[in-house]
Amino acid sequence: MGYSYDIVQTQQQINQDNQRKLSGRKTVIGAILIQLAVGSYHGTFGNLLPYFTAFMGQTDPALTNADLTLILSSGGIVQGFSNLIAGLVIVPLVGLKGCLMMGCALYCLATVLTYLCLYQGLGLVILVYGCLNGLAVNFVNVSLSVLPVTWYPERRGLVLGVVMAAYGLSSTVMAPVQTFIINPGNISPTQVTTYSSACNCSSTAEYFTDPDLLSRVPQSLLYMAAVYSALIVLGLVLVSENTEMEEQNKKEEKSISKVFQFLWHDLFRIRDFWFLFLTRYVYMVIIGGVLMHWKSVTFQLSGDDQLISVLGGIIGFMNCLSRFLGGYLSDRFRFCHFQSLISLTISVTFIITMFIYNINFYGFSVCLCILYLLGFTHFSSIPAQAIYLLNSSHNGVLIGALGLTDTLGFVSLGIINRIIFSELKSEIPFFYFFLAMAVHSLLIVPINYFISDHKNQL
């Protein structure tokens, strides 16, 4: 009798383990599908920027690419607050899955509304494509930085690397689709002299003027919204939270007052949290600048839009590989060692870029690929290190607090853009821009090195 009971118990345990493994795999696959859709916001902004500028320039000829970088800057500012809102308010109220669903719904809505706002002016586009997307994206990312890890706590770096890699891969998949929809004939931009209200001066740049191409710009948003919705719905069906972890969290949490108490009395008093915070802040400045300006720089070297779109696909793959690399390295090496080396290499690459960005397309492309390969590692490595060092039932709050660096980073980037591209009035603004990025990356090398590997008791 006892022997039969043991067999039944063993079989039940095997079935539970198999079900747990299946749910974990489905959650990771679902997270990948969602990230492929949501990653398009950051990953393809540089690709869409010249199209948006050209379309809106029909009604406001004074608009330039520099003016429209405010879209991503504004979104980045909102992202930091959305991280905090997600971690401190939304997750305690509706859970990680509820927060994820809210973010996905807002993301699809923002894409559709941008179709209407393109006809209304830059202010509404900033509000919708910038701010609303910024709110949505980090609702998604806070959830997907924790949900898959609940199924694989011992392989957090690898799991986060795979999930975040999908976010980076989005541009490889979506940028060629956008270019095919908008510019199937590979029409080259023409050289146009424009007046910028931001700097009260005129400048010459490459802009699209073909009327058929411009008419396809707003329509492309509806096509892309349909693609995003299909991927997101399928992903949401697959994603689930580990029920054991969910029950444990319910016992330990969760009132908003306790969440704020954890934030102020526990998290903010830990040195490693602030070192990770500063590291992520600098990386947000760096990658925000690269995302904004890469296509504008390449247009100075080549007018072949489809060639540049291919480059966009390649750097999107580098973005994907970078996020996976960050997770892989987190599981195998000390964070302080590999992240310091990465920061130093990024700084050296920016210095090289300063001298070749306006000379050779392929040389600049190689530097751009290196920057993408290394610059996005922190999206996996920092959450993995943070959860390892500061693990608690408040991991959503932890990720949200680190996400405040989005706001600080994009505010800083907006100031840098204003100074270099408007106030400085230099003939070689990108030289000084890449110099600023090199200095930022160099400054965090010692900060990276002093981040601990010893767990904190929270």
Side-chain angles (χ1 to χ4, degrees), residues 97-246:
K97 184 68 179 285
C99 182
L100 176 63
M101 295 175 68
M102 287 179 63
C104 290
L106 289 173
Y107 180 74
C108 294
L109 177 64
T111 306
V112 174
L113 290 178
T114 305
Y115 163 77
L116 302 173
C117 293
L118 279 178
Y119 296 94
Q120 307 302 320
L122 180 59
L124 282 177
V125 175
I126 289 174
L127 183 64
V128 173
Y129 198 82
C131 297
L132 188 56
N133 265 328
L135 184 70
V137 163
N138 276 4
F139 278 17
V140 172
N141 280 332
V142 166
S143 302
L144 294 185
S145 293
V146 180
L147 277 171
V149 178
T150 62
W151 294 101
Y152 302 97
E154 301 303 321
R155 304 176 70 183
R156 64 192 185 284
L158 177 62
V159 172
L160 276 173
V162 170
V163 172
M164 294 303 170
Y167 193 95
L169 187 63
S170 178
S171 61
T172 301
V173 177
M174 301 300 178
V177 174
Q178 291 170 347
T179 301
F180 176 77
I181 294 172
I182 297 172
N183 191 9
N186 195 24
I187 298 170
S188 298
T190 57
Q191 199 172 71
V192 177
T193 300
T194 59
Y195 175 82
S196 174
S197 57
C199 64
N200 194 29
C201 60
S202 61
S203 61
T204 300
E206 304 286 333
Y207 293 102
F208 293 101
T209 57
D210 181 78
D212 291 333
L213 181 151
L214 297 180
S215 69
R216 289 190 288 266
V217 173
Q219 295 174 0
S220 69
L221 292 166
L222 297 181
Y223 290 119
M224 297 311 298
V227 174
Y228 300 153
S229 299
L231 290 171
I232 284 172
V233 168
L234 182 57
L236 288 174
V237 170
L238 294 173
V239 168
S240 62
E241 187 172 3
N242 189 329
T243 53
E244 295 177 2
M245 297 294 294
E246 188 176 10

Side-chain angles (χ1 to χ4, degrees), residues 36 42 140 158 164 207 244 275 335 339 348 356 418 422:
L36 281 174
H42 286 114
V140 172
L158 177 62
M164 294 303 170
Y207 293 102
E244 295 177 2
F275 280 177
F335 178 90
Q339 203 68 53
V348 172
I356 66 170
R418 177 74 181 183
S422 299

Side-chain angles (χ1 to χ4, degrees), residues 157-408:
L158 177 62
V159 172
L160 276 173
V162 170
V163 172
M164 294 303 170
Y167 193 95
L169 187 63
S170 178
S171 61
T172 301
V173 177
M174 301 300 178
V177 174
Q178 291 170 347
T179 301
F180 176 77
I181 294 172
I182 297 172
N183 191 9
N186 195 24
I187 298 170
S188 298
T190 57
Q191 199 172 71
V192 177
T193 300
T194 59
Y195 175 82
S196 174
S197 57
C199 64
N200 194 29
C201 60
S202 61
S203 61
T204 300
E206 304 286 333
Y207 293 102
F208 293 101
T209 57
D210 181 78
D212 291 333
L213 181 151
L214 297 180
S215 69
R216 289 190 288 266
V217 173
Q219 295 174 0
S220 69
L221 292 166
L222 297 181
Y223 290 119
M224 297 311 298
V227 174
Y228 300 153
S229 299
L231 290 171
I232 284 172
V233 168
L234 182 57
L236 288 174
V237 170
L238 294 173
V239 168
S240 62
E241 187 172 3
N242 189 329
T243 53
E244 295 177 2
M245 297 294 294
E246 188 176 10
E247 290 173 2
Q248 179 182 346
N249 288 344
K250 285 179 179 178
K251 292 177 182 178
E252 297 179 6
E253 293 198 59
K254 276 186 181 178
S255 69
I256 294 178
S257 61
K258 287 184 178 180
V259 168
F260 276 95
Q261 184 178 358
F262 165 79
L263 188 69
W264 292 107
H265 296 289
D266 295 326
L267 195 60
F268 283 176
R269 296 185 178 184
I270 297 174
R271 186 196 68 171
D272 286 327
F273 168 79
W274 291 110
F275 280 177
L276 290 169
F277 188 91
L278 287 172
T279 299
R280 195 177 189 278
Y281 157 73
V282 171
Y283 273 104
M284 291 309 299
V285 174
I286 292 170
I287 66 167
V290 175
L291 286 168
M292 281 183 188
H293 296 298
W294 74 267
K295 192 164 186 176
S296 299
V297 176
T298 52
F299 267 144
Q300 296 181 8
L301 298 168
S302 173
D304 189 332
D305 192 28
Q306 291 191 355
L307 174 63
I308 293 174
S309 178
V310 171
L311 174 61
I314 294 173
I315 61 176
F317 178 74
M318 292 294 117
N319 184 341
C320 163
L321 189 59
S322 178
R323 294 165 190 259
F324 179 80
L325 180 65
Y328 175 85
L329 294 174
S330 294
D331 283 344
R332 285 160 177 79
F333 302 98
R334 295 183 64 187
F335 178 90
C336 60
H337 290 164
F338 75 79
Q339 203 68 53
S340 298
L341 182 60
I342 286 173
S343 299
L344 181 61
T345 306
I346 289 173
S347 182
V348 172
T349 305
F350 271 122
I351 292 172
I352 296 171
T353 306
M354 288 164 52
F355 298 100
I356 66 170
Y357 78 91
N358 60 349
I359 297 175
N360 186 278
F361 175 83
Y362 296 102
F364 174 73
S365 298
V366 170
C367 288
L368 192 62
C369 287
I370 294 172
L371 292 172
Y372 266 76
L373 177 63
L374 300 179
F376 292 82
T377 53
H378 78 282
F379 279 114
S380 301
S381 63
I382 289 180
Q385 185 71 3
I387 291 174
Y388 170 75
L389 294 176
L390 310 166
N391 189 33
S392 73
S393 60
H394 299 279
N395 283 337
V397 181
L398 169 63
I399 299 301
L402 287 172
L404 185 59
T405 54
D406 290 14
T407 294
L408 300 177

